[in-house]
Amino acid sequence: QVQLVESGGGLVQDGGSLRLACAASGPFSRYAMGWFRQAPGKERDFVASITRDGSTTFYADSVKGRFVISRDNAKNTVSLQMNSLKPEDTAVYYCAADFFGSGARTSSRYNYWGQGTQVTVSS
């Protein structure tokens, strides 16, 4: 079992930055980690993921070059640094743990989920 708690969401201006954090309990280093987001009326979409040792990252095309995912296995945390934020980035952001894969882009591949943190980007 892995328990995940997101933090760091908030309201920022267009072009601003925000850093999300996900604190985990359990065998954190055994899981690839991902960030997903869900806007009202929309499906939960892949944002970024990172392999178990942090050596490889994956990004949705919409955030590549703006967002950076990282992890600190010693602290059992995964972060999402979001730069150059746009109004279309507004969503609830979730971290998730993937035991079997290496950071899939499909939400159904993840075993555990946090409760989410709201990110709102004003225009």
Side-chain angles (χ1 to χ4, degrees):
Q1 291 281 333
V2 172
Q3 293 180 313
L4 306 171
V5 180
E6 302 96 335
S7 63
L11 175 64
V12 297
Q13 292 184 336
D14 190 357
S17 297
L18 203 61
R19 186 176 179 87
L20 305 183
C22 178
S25 62
F28 178 73
S29 64
R30 294 297 303 142
Y31 291 79
M33 298 296 298
W35 285 96
F36 291 76
R37 65 188 182 187
Q38 188 168 21
K42 305 285 287 186
E43 295 184 355
R44 187 170 298 185
D45 292 329
F46 172 79
V47 176
S49 61
I50 188 166
T51 53
R52 292 168 181 80
D53 63 356
S55 63
T56 307
T57 57
F58 306 92
Y59 296 94
D61 289 343
S62 59
V63 307
K64 192 171 186 178
R66 300 189 295 121
F67 291 10
V68 178
I69 187 172
S70 61
R71 69 188 297 161
D72 187 339
N73 286 350
K75 297 181 178 179
N76 277 19
T77 58
V78 60
S79 299
L80 185 68
Q81 177 66 47
M82 304 184 294
N83 301 315
S84 301
L85 283 161
K86 306 173 181 179
E88 51 263 46
D89 295 318
T90 295
V92 176
Y93 283 70
Y94 300 87
C95 66
D98 173 9
F99 181 81
F100 298 101
S102 300
R105 304 173 73 92
T106 304
S107 61
S108 62
R109 295 284 80 203
Y110 289 79
N111 306 99
Y112 302 101
W113 294 82
Q115 296 192 74
T117 185
Q118 177 71 47
V119 172
T120 302
V121 184
S122 62
S123 60

